[in-house]
Amino acid sequence: MDFLQDLVSEVEETVSAAEPFTVNIFTAMILERLEEAGHFDETFPVYQTGNFKDRRGRNVAYRIDGYAYDEERGRLDLFTTQYSGDRDGARIPAADVMKALERALRFASACVDGLASSLEPANTDASDLARLIEADAERLTAIRVVLLTDGTVGNITSPAEWKGKPVEFEAYDITRLFRVLGKGETREDISVDLVALAGRGLQCLHVPAQNDDYDAYLAVLPGKVLSQVYERYGVRLLELNVRAFLGLQGRKSVNAELRETIVKKPTMFLAYNNGIVATVDDLEVGQGESGNLEIRSLKGLQIVNGGQTTASLHRAGRKDSDLEHVSVPVKIIKVGGADLSEMVSAISRAANRQNTVQLADFSANDPFHQQVEVLANTAWLSDGKGRWFYERARGSYLAAEHKAAYRKSDAKTFRQQTPKHRRLSKLDVARYLSAWSGLPDKVCLGGQKNFQYFMQRLRDEPLPTPDQPWFRRLIALAVLYRAAERKIKSMKFPAYGAQITAYVVAGLSHRSGGRIDFEGIWSRQNLTSEMEQLICSWAPQIDSVLRETAGQKNPSEWFKKPDCWQTARDRLPSLIDPLPPELSYAEDGRPGEMMALGEARSAFDYERIAQCMEVSAVTWLEAAERGQKAGIIHLRVAGICRKLAGYAVGGWEQKPTAKQAKPALEALAAVENAGLMQQYPRLAGVGEDVEA
């Protein structure tokens, strides 16, 4: 199987001094891609193996390779990996499969029995997870244990329960991974047996279309059944269109009204709610006992409108109500002769114009992602021989690679032009831009959730239309972020390496005012040794700050909070001369234009920029108005102060340049010293003719 060959080759190519273990590389790679495919949220690789004496004094062996915890759904996923690196996809004996799954489940049992207190050191990812499971064991609604493997697995029998909680054993073997990540899952993989879920078929009204394009069915779906379908498939129900929307937190007023109706007036939900619109590839209908037409099963179900309703119902069902008396109106469209993808997209857009979902929610088909793909295809590196590949649609890199493989010369050219290490996914773009925009807390939510927030931000505050300079900046960020990941991984932190990386990159952005030598990084396609050394010196300091600010809170949960970033931001390491070339480059003073003109920057320039960003918009406006009126500051400098006020109002998305910061702070000091406004704390030497 070409997919297996490519996967093994990619694992082997990724082996490095920082991560020499192929099983860990395989685990991290598969978890990220399954997350992107919408099968899991917030997955984290965590390798932990050992023995533990349970409460009965028995010696218990355990092992896990990763986890995912959905706090909203109260669901814990534990991953265990069997990776051989063989290229034949050999079948794994059933006994070995069960042994691996049971060993992972025993980790959860050991956690409940106090494993965390015996783990050394006490501040690792594993000990953090152990404390989380111990604290939240009673609140768990279900636990799933998943085997990740490059082998082939047969049928698996799940145990009845774990400490009173339902348990599910499953495997992502090479066959299933190929279906999900290789050729891509089809909608046929989503199959809903309504008779099994509801005990009967769903009575419906069939509305045949006047042409062969589609058939429509109107029905009322029990809220409990809809919640169970979401429990099983989650965001995959929206994968064709607004996948990013379901995971977003909608307007609080809407959620509050939904919850109030479900809890206080469940029988009125049908009257108050617009319901959902769904498409199916196929459905089974038949005559019920009463002679009425009923739907018995659905295949290829996709919710194209009503994602917020679905998520809110599930959340309320878990926390507030059993949904026994909640009914949801549903319109089901079975597409016939029309083009399914086009039909789904059209229905989704038309239906969602009735509420707050906009075009930016349509993931891979969003114009932003299409523009990035075009730029990736046309932006060649400085040598003119290579470029980056933007994987706008999941699996498109593999498809392009296989297409090139039809001719040996084309395959060689493809590998030379776009090697795997220059592949860029949607999750990557969201991660890099979020961290650089000062949102490391969102990055720590995990790839899929961060992507959802990123798409929400695109909708609320659209970026400028991507162009070639913007794309080069994006790739420079990718080079910076990945270099930071490698360096921090090589430093062997006991825990939170991914979170430290996000906060280091966000910290560099904040300290530099969001301006580094993007063009230089793009040209070199790597960082200088001086910049790598700066990352190495910052990482342990930021790690220490993150741990200290966590206090008694669960660290991994604390890192996901905006308050964590706000606290860490005030305690970032200082920049010290001599600066790396990426920071000491010269600019011409125009935001976003990096040119070798003027004087190189110093650490003091960055301190000035940082201090400008501590001043409020009101203060900058007041300094401009009073200073200009009193004749203390020049008209041009007053204009700079007003410009900084605008930056402040915009949340400092646009940041001051070094050439703006110096005269602006001098003007602020002059107005304060003249007694025209309240003194603002500033750096020693600001307002004086000090040589940096």
Side-chain angles (χ1 to χ4, degrees):
M1 184 191 297
D2 289 340
F3 175 75
L4 175 57
Q5 308 295 322
D6 293 339
L7 192 61
V8 173
S9 296
E10 187 171 358
V11 169
E12 292 174 349
E13 291 170 7
T14 312
V15 171
S16 65
E19 182 51 83
F21 299 108
T22 54
V23 64
N24 293 348
I25 294 171
F26 176 81
T27 301
M29 186 182 298
I30 296 303
L31 286 182
E32 179 164 348
R33 293 178 188 178
L34 287 176
E35 190 172 332
E36 184 182 5
H39 283 235
F40 301 98
D41 284 330
E42 289 191 66
T43 62
F44 297 97
V46 176
Y47 174 73
Q48 182 66 30
T49 185
N51 294 279
F52 179 75
K53 287 191 178 297
D54 65 11
R55 291 174 179 173
R56 298 181 183 179
R58 297 176 302 181
N59 200 38
V60 176
Y62 61 81
R63 170 182 165 173
I64 61 163
D65 291 87
Y67 78 98
Y69 179 47
D70 188 335
E71 190 173 5
E72 278 293 321
R73 298 159 76 182
R75 182 165 188 145
L76 174 68
D77 295 323
L78 294 176
F79 302 99
T80 185
T81 302
Q82 288 193 348
Y83 177 76
S84 67
D86 293 335
R87 298 173 184 265
D88 56 1
R91 189 175 186 85
I92 303 175
D96 291 348
V97 171
M98 292 305 295
K99 181 180 179 181
L101 292 167
E102 290 169 354
R103 193 169 49 189
L105 185 60
R106 285 199 293 269
F107 174 81
S109 300
C111 292
V112 175
D113 290 341
L115 174 64
S117 60
S118 66
L119 291 178
E120 294 292 341
N123 55 355
T124 64
D125 289 321
S127 60
D128 181 25
L129 173 60
R131 284 188 290 271
L132 177 67
I133 294 175
E134 184 177 5
D136 288 4
E138 292 300 319
R139 294 195 297 155
L140 290 178
T141 59
I143 185 168
R144 176 169 49 172
V145 185
V146 182
L147 174 66
L148 308 175
T149 179
D150 60 342
T152 305
V153 173
N155 295 329
I156 298 175
T157 302
S158 299
E161 62 177 27
W162 173 81
K163 298 187 180 299
K165 317 289 185 183
V167 179
E168 183 179 357
F169 280 178
E170 63 176 287
Y172 281 79
D173 65 356
I174 198 62
T175 302
R176 187 176 184 186
L177 289 174
F178 173 64
R179 190 172 72 243
V180 175
L181 306 177
K183 72 185 178 95
E185 267 190 320
T186 64
R187 291 174 297 278
E188 293 179 358
D189 293 301
I190 298 179
S191 181
V192 179
D193 187 338
L194 292 171
V195 175
L197 288 175
R200 56 180 173 79
L202 193 67
Q203 288 191 8
C204 66
L205 173 65
H206 180 210
V207 185
Q210 297 180 2
N211 51 41
D212 295 330
D213 285 348
Y214 71 92
D215 280 328
Y217 297 82
L218 305 179
V220 176
L221 188 64
K224 193 170 185 178
V225 171
L226 182 57
S227 177
Q228 289 172 323
V229 173
Y230 172 66
E231 176 72 28
R232 174 66 180 86
Y233 294 106
V235 296
R236 293 167 61 198
L237 293 172
L238 287 90
E239 189 166 351
L240 286 180
N241 39 68
V242 291
R243 195 175 94 196
F245 176 62
L246 185 57
L248 294 175
Q249 187 173 2
R251 293 177 298 173
K252 291 183 179 179
S253 59
V254 174
N255 284 339
E257 291 176 7
L258 280 170
R259 179 181 175 277
E260 184 176 1
T261 301
I262 293 168
V263 175
K264 297 181 178 180
K265 301 177 181 179
T267 58
M268 298 302 295
F269 192 88
L270 178 67
Y272 292 170
N273 192 265
N274 290 333
I276 65 175
V277 180
T279 63
V280 294
D281 288 346
D282 199 5
L283 73 171
E284 180 189 351
V285 296
Q287 294 291 331
E289 294 181 359
S290 60
N292 295 321
L293 188 68
E294 64 180 27
I295 302 172
R296 294 171 179 167
S297 66
L298 305 169
K299 183 173 287 189
L301 175 66
Q302 290 283 283
I303 296 175
V304 294
N305 186 42
Q308 195 64 55
T309 295
T310 304
S312 297
L313 270 172
H314 179 270
R315 188 178 303 116
R318 190 175 69 81
K319 293 186 174 181
D320 306 307
S321 168
D322 60 8
L323 304 180
E324 195 65 40
H325 303 292
V326 175
S327 298
V328 184
V330 57
K331 177 169 64 176
I332 300 172
I333 306 296
K334 180 182 181 295
V335 180
D339 179 85
L340 180 58
S341 297
E342 184 178 331
M343 187 77 165
V344 167
S345 181
I347 293 172
S348 188
R349 281 174 167 79
N352 282 305
R353 285 196 181 103
Q354 302 167 28
N355 55 33
T356 60
V357 180
Q358 298 181 14
L359 294 181
D361 296 311
F362 290 79
S363 193
N365 292 324
D366 180 73
F368 169 81
H369 295 290
Q370 293 176 339
Q371 290 160 356
V372 176
E373 183 180 46
V374 170
L375 290 169
N377 290 336
T378 57
W380 293 86
L381 302 183
S382 301
D383 60 8
K385 299 178 181 178
R387 59 185 177 86
W388 283 67
F389 187 99
Y390 184 55
E391 197 169 33
R392 176 175 66 86
R394 182 163 42 87
S396 59
Y397 181 90
L398 188 65
E401 189 176 40
H402 286 167
K403 182 179 179 181
Y406 289 128
R407 294 177 59 184
K408 190 174 182 179
S409 59
D410 289 345
K412 183 178 179 180
T413 300
F414 182 83
R415 287 194 297 270
Q416 289 175 340
Q417 291 180 352
T418 53
K420 287 185 173 68
H421 70 268
R422 288 206 293 262
R423 177 174 57 185
L424 197 66
S425 71
K426 297 192 298 294
L427 297 190
D428 290 331
V429 169
R431 183 183 304 117
Y432 306 152
L433 291 178
S434 294
W436 196 252
S437 298
L439 297 169
D441 49 297
K442 296 296 185 287
V443 177
C444 291
L445 289 172
Q448 186 62 36
K449 285 194 175 180
N450 175 61
F451 178 75
Q452 291 162 4
Y453 277 102
F454 175 75
M455 293 302 296
Q456 180 77 13
R457 287 172 56 225
L458 272 186
R459 190 186 78 179
D460 296 339
E461 303 172 12
L463 291 170
T465 302
D467 54 15
Q468 287 288 348
W470 181 92
F471 183 76
R472 293 196 297 270
R473 178 179 182 269
L474 170 65
I475 297 305
L477 282 179
V479 172
L480 170 65
Y481 201 102
R482 292 179 179 185
E485 280 182 318
R486 290 193 300 271
K487 276 295 173 186
I488 290 170
K489 183 175 288 186
S490 70
M491 297 174 74
K492 303 295 184 183
F493 285 95
Y496 318 127
Q499 293 92 330
I500 294 170
T501 300
Y503 275 84
V504 164
V505 172
L508 287 170
S509 174
H510 184 74
R511 275 283 186 245
S512 67
R515 289 188 175 87
I516 63 172
D517 187 9
F518 294 115
E519 290 293 342
I521 298 175
W522 160 265
S523 297
R524 293 188 306 271
Q525 288 292 298
N526 58 41
L527 299 185
T528 63
S529 58
E530 294 90 339
M531 190 66 181
E532 291 187 345
Q533 183 56 45
L534 176 64
I535 291 171
C536 287
S537 67
W538 272 39
Q541 297 180 67
I542 288 181
D543 175 46
S544 177
V545 168
L546 292 176
R547 291 180 185 280
E548 289 176 14
T549 57
Q552 298 301 312
K553 306 179 188 73
N554 182 287
S556 61
E557 294 302 311
W558 167 241
F559 303 154
K560 302 172 187 176
K561 307 295 183 184
D563 287 347
C564 177
W565 167 236
Q566 292 171 10
T567 305
R569 190 175 56 196
D570 296 334
R571 299 175 58 182
L572 291 173
S574 298
L575 292 171
I576 302 172
D577 290 322
L579 294 171
E582 288 86 347
L583 296 174
S584 62
Y585 74 104
E587 65 173 0
D588 71 346
R590 291 175 295 178
E593 295 292 331
M594 301 353 153
M595 301 177 66
L597 299 174
E599 298 178 357
R601 295 182 178 187
S602 68
F604 196 64
D605 289 323
Y606 287 107
E607 290 293 348
R608 285 193 179 110
I609 292 172
Q611 193 182 21
C612 283
M613 294 167 62
E614 294 173 359
V615 180
S616 69
V618 172
T619 301
W620 281 123
L621 283 176
E622 188 178 355
E625 298 299 328
R626 297 189 181 188
Q628 186 179 344
K629 185 176 182 180
I632 295 174
I633 61 176
H634 191 274
L635 174 64
R636 181 184 63 83
V637 178
I640 292 175
C641 292
R642 292 189 182 95
K643 191 169 289 186
L644 296 191
Y647 295 170
V649 170
W652 297 107
E653 283 289 327
Q654 181 75 46
K655 297 177 175 62
T657 66
K659 291 187 176 182
Q660 289 174 327
K662 186 174 185 295
L665 287 174
E666 288 173 346
L668 181 61
V671 174
E672 291 172 342
N673 292 336
L676 298 178
M677 59 186 293
Q678 183 181 357
Q679 290 281 322
Y680 183 82
R682 56 190 182 277
L683 294 172
V686 172
E688 305 169 11
D689 189 12
V690 176
E691 291 294 331

